Amino acid sequence: MKGFTAAFFIWTLISPSDGGTPAWPTHTACKDSSLEVLYQSCDPLQDFGFSIDQCSEHLKSNINIRFGIILREDIKELFLDASLLTEGVPFLNYSYPICEEDLPKFSFCGRRKGEQIYYAGPATNLGFEIPKGEHQILLKLYNENHSMVACANATIICS
């Protein structure tokens, strides 16, 4: 009975009072006078760091980003899925292979569970003007086994 009481006490201390899963904090990826990019990890087990060096409503075709995470999964291959929603309506879905077994594009391709990824450098995109309003993006990084590596809900506020 002592073991059960101790386990129940510890469970009570670490469990959220509302019975739900606690959310990760909301982070600011970038902010200027007319644009703010916020994100929150949607992976219940892990948070990560992300920032954008140039914050502008005109997204340049080559922006500099920083990304850091400790891997919970091996990444022989790594894929990104992005879904853009505007006012709750799906607007665009995008998939991109970041690491392919025969074509590693970055030095972190092939890293193993427990290793750290830190990337600071360019992220190439099409470059476009961000429309005024509030937009949501769901980003998912997953490996060749479809195991989640990172997940984020991002909000872009452009005024």
Side-chain angles (χ1 to χ4, degrees), residues 92-154:
L92 175 71
N93 289 315
Y94 177 77
S95 293
Y96 181 75
I98 295 172
C99 298
E100 296 174 282
E101 194 167 6
D102 297 334
L103 186 61
K105 297 175 185 158
F106 298 96
S107 63
F108 57 78
C109 295
R111 295 269 171 98
R112 315 285 261 149
K113 179 180 179 177
E115 293 183 317
Q116 179 182 11
I117 289 179
Y118 177 74
Y119 175 77
T124 305
N125 61 75
L126 298 174
F128 58 90
E129 193 78 23
I130 298 172
K132 304 272 187 238
E134 187 171 307
H135 314 283
Q136 287 76 41
I137 300 176
L138 174 61
L139 299 163
K140 291 184 180 180
L141 284 172
Y142 57 94
N143 71 4
E144 66 279 2
N145 299 322
H146 295 283
S147 296
M148 188 179 345
V149 173
C151 176
N153 290 314

Side-chain angles (χ1 to χ4, degrees), residues 20-159:
T21 305
W24 291 106
T26 299
H27 305 287
T28 301
C30 75
K31 184 176 182 173
D32 79 356
S33 61
S34 62
L35 183 70
E36 185 172 18
V37 179
L38 307 166
Y39 73 94
Q40 181 179 44
S41 174
C42 50
D43 181 341
L45 301 175
Q46 184 172 24
D47 200 2
F48 62 90
F50 177 75
S51 67
I52 303 169
D53 285 352
Q54 302 118 1
C55 199
S56 170
E57 62 190 68
H58 178 72
L59 187 62
K60 296 178 182 175
S61 61
N62 203 1
I63 60 173
N64 288 318
I65 65 167
R66 289 187 183 101
F67 176 78
I69 191 168
I70 296 174
L71 294 173
R72 290 188 303 116
E73 301 287 339
D74 294 348
I75 55 167
K76 259 194 241 177
E77 297 182 311
L78 185 64
F79 305 93
L80 169 68
D81 282 352
S83 300
L84 174 65
L85 295 98
T86 299
E87 297 177 9
V89 178
F91 178 73
L92 175 71
N93 289 315
Y94 177 77
S95 293
Y96 181 75
I98 295 172
C99 298
E100 296 174 282
E101 194 167 6
D102 297 334
L103 186 61
K105 297 175 185 158
F106 298 96
S107 63
F108 57 78
C109 295
R111 295 269 171 98
R112 315 285 261 149
K113 179 180 179 177
E115 293 183 317
Q116 179 182 11
I117 289 179
Y118 177 74
Y119 175 77
T124 305
N125 61 75
L126 298 174
F128 58 90
E129 193 78 23
I130 298 172
K132 304 272 187 238
E134 187 171 307
H135 314 283
Q136 287 76 41
I137 300 176
L138 174 61
L139 299 163
K140 291 184 180 180
L141 284 172
Y142 57 94
N143 71 4
E144 66 279 2
N145 299 322
H146 295 283
S147 296
M148 188 179 345
V149 173
C151 176
N153 290 314
T155 300
I156 299 173
I157 303 166
C158 185
S159 55

